[in-house]
C-alpha cells in the first residue's frame, strides 16, 4: 500500500502509527482483469482507491453498447459519487481493466475515519477539488474539440492513456467505433 | 448574507461569533448584469459564492463564439478551479447574468481560514464532492443524450434553468444556435 501512503503524504502530515490506523479503515482487494467491482442497479457501497492497476466506469447506452466515462489508474479514486453519497442504486458499472489492487471504504467507515482524523477532511477536500478541476476542463473539451482533437488532447495530457488502455476502450471513452479510432490513428501517423 | 449562513449551516455547526469571523475572510461585491468578474488571460485570483443573482462561466471558441460551460445561482460556488488552485492565468471568463451579490475569497485567505476553522475543510470537501458528483452526471449526459434530450434533461433537473436564464445563453450552454433552440421549444410544445 506504498502508493496510498505516498498519496496521503502529498497532502497531509501523518506518522506511521496514524497511517496504520487510517489504513485499518480500508479493505484491500485484488481484482482480475475484467472483474466487476460494482454493477449497474446495485447500491453504491464503496469508494475505491487504485493502489495498482486500472479501473474504468461505464454505463450501457440505449443501443446496448458500453460507454466508458472514466478511467482510474494508480492514486486515483473512483466511485459513482452521487450514488455513494446518498447510498442509492448506481446506474454505472465499475470494472478492472488490468489486474488491480484496490482499497475500498464504505460511507459509514469514511464518516468514522473523518471524525477520528479530521486531517482526512483536508485530504478528501483536495482529492475532490482536483477531480472537479479535471471534470471542468473535460466538459470544456467535450464542447470545444472534435473527436479527433479529443483523442490528441487526451494522448498529450495523459500519455498512459494510450499506452495502457486497450484500443476498444479508448474508442468507448471517446464515443468512437474501434474502426473510426483506427482511421484517426492512421491519419495522425501519416 | 443570510444565504451563506444557511448554506454553511447545512454542513457544519458554527455559532454567531464564528460565523462573523468566517465572513470577515470574504469580500462582498455587487455586480451589474453583464459585468465581468474575471476575464480570460487574467490570473484566477478569486473563488466566488453567489449570495443573490446568477453568474456564468464561458470561453470564446475558435469561431469567436461564446460557449457557456457553467451557471451559478444562489448557494453555488464558481471559479476556474484548476487556475485558482495553481494561481495561473485562466482561459475562462466569469460574468453576471443578473444583478448579483457575490462573496469572494482569494487563495491565501482561504488557506488562513481553513487553518483557523478546520471545520471549513469539511464544508469545502462537501461543496467539491457535490460539484464533482454533478459533473460526473453531466459528462454522462453529454455522452448519452442528443441535444434535444439534453435540453429536456436540464429543464427537468434544474427548473430555474429555463425560468431564469435568457434563451441565447441556454443555447450557448447546450451548444445550439438560438434558432435551433426555438425549433426545439416549438417541437416540445406541439
Amino acid at each position: 500500500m506504498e502508493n496510498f501512503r505516498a498519496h496521503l503524504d502529498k497532502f497531509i502530515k501523518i506518522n506511521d502509527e496514524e497511517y496504520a490506523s487510517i489504513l485499518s479503515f480500508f479493505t484491500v482487494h485484488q481484482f482480475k482483469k475484467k472483474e466487476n467491482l460494482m454493477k449497474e442497479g446495485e447500491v453504491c457501497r464503496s469508494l475505491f482507491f487504485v493502489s495498482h492497476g486500472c479501473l474504468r466506469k461505464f454505463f450501457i447506452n440505449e443501443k446496448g453498447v458500453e460507454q466508458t466515462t472514466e478511467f482510474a489508474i494508480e492514486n486515483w479514486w473512483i466511485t459513482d459519487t452521487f450514488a455513494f453519497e446518498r447510498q442509492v442504486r448506481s446506474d454505472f458499472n465499475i470494472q478492472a481493466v488490468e489486474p488491480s489492487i484496490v482499497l475500498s471504504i464504505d460511507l459509514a467507515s469514511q464518516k468514522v475515519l473523518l471524525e477520528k482524523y479530521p486531517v482526512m477532511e483536508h485530504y478528501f477536500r483536495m482529492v475532490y477539488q482536483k477531480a472537479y478541476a479535471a471534470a471542468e476542463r473535460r466538459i470544456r473539451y467535450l464542447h470545444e474539440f472534435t473527436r479527433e482533437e479529443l483523442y490528441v488532447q487526451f494522448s498529450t495530457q495523459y500519455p498512459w492513456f494510450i499506452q495502457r488502455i486497450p484500443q476498444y476502450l479508448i474508442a468507448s471513452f471517446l464515443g468512437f467505433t474501434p474502426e473510426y479510432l483506427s482511421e484517426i490513428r492512421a491519419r495522425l501517423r501519416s
Side-chain angles (χ1 to χ4, degrees), chain A:
Chain A
M1 299 306 105
E2 284 154 34
N3 276 339
F4 186 48
R5 175 70 198 254
H7 199 248
L8 290 169
D9 287 343
K10 273 180 73 173
F11 300 103
I12 58 174
K13 280 192 187 127
I14 45 167
N15 61 34
D16 289 351
E17 203 179 319
E18 287 164 334
Y19 174 65
S21 169
I22 289 168
L23 189 60
S24 73
F25 284 84
F26 291 84
T27 310
V28 183
H29 310 263
Q30 279 199 292
F31 295 102
K32 290 180 199 142
K33 187 174 169 176
K34 296 208 177 179
E35 201 173 333
N36 294 313
L37 287 73
M38 185 181 82
K39 292 196 79 174
E40 200 179 323
E42 292 174 4
V43 173
C44 179
R45 301 269 180 224
S46 303
L47 174 60
F48 299 108
F49 176 85
V50 181
S51 178
H52 289 281
C54 179
L55 308 177
R56 71 177 176 118
K57 190 159 82 183
F58 65 96
F59 67 92
I60 295 161
N61 71 16
E62 271 189 359
K63 292 175 190 160
V65 176
E66 291 182 2
Q67 172 77 55
T68 301
T69 59
E70 205 175 326
F71 292 101
I73 57 164
E74 287 80 14
N75 300 331
W76 289 36
W77 291 87
I78 193 168
T79 189
D80 174 351
T81 308
F82 185 91
F84 178 69
E85 200 178 57
R86 287 166 184 75
Q87 293 290 286
V88 296
R89 285 173 204 281
S90 174
D91 41 16
F92 284 99
N93 304 270
I94 298 177
Q95 194 181 72
V97 175
E98 302 171 358
S100 300
I101 302 172
V102 172
L103 298 180
S104 80
I105 191 166
D106 62 51
L107 191 69
S109 303
Q110 192 199 25
K111 196 166 176 270
V112 180
L113 169 67
L114 289 163
E115 279 162 11
K116 191 164 176 195
Y117 295 101
V119 74
M120 289 298 285
E121 288 281 7
H122 175 74
Y123 173 74
F124 280 113
R125 198 256 300 170
M126 294 307 295
V127 164
Y128 279 108
Q129 187 174 312
K130 284 175 185 298
Y132 183 61
E136 273 182 316
R137 295 179 89 76
R138 183 152 158 222
I139 286 168
R140 175 172 171 153
Y141 298 151
L142 287 172
H143 281 291
E144 194 172 15
F145 293 139
T146 63
R147 295 183 162 193
E148 181 165 334
E149 286 166 344
L150 270 182
Y151 175 80
V152 173
Q153 182 64 32
F154 279 99
S155 317
T156 314
Q157 204 167 1
Y158 306 109
W160 57 264
F161 181 67
I162 304 303
Q163 288 155 17
R164 287 175 66 166
I165 309 289
Q167 279 215 49
Y168 77 99
L169 290 181
I170 293 179
S172 154
F173 179 74
L174 296 172
F176 300 163
T177 60
E179 294 71 28
Y180 183 64
L181 180 60
S182 299
E183 270 177 49
I184 288 181
R185 289 169 71 118
R187 231 184 353 251
L188 291 172
R189 271 195 300 271
S190 67

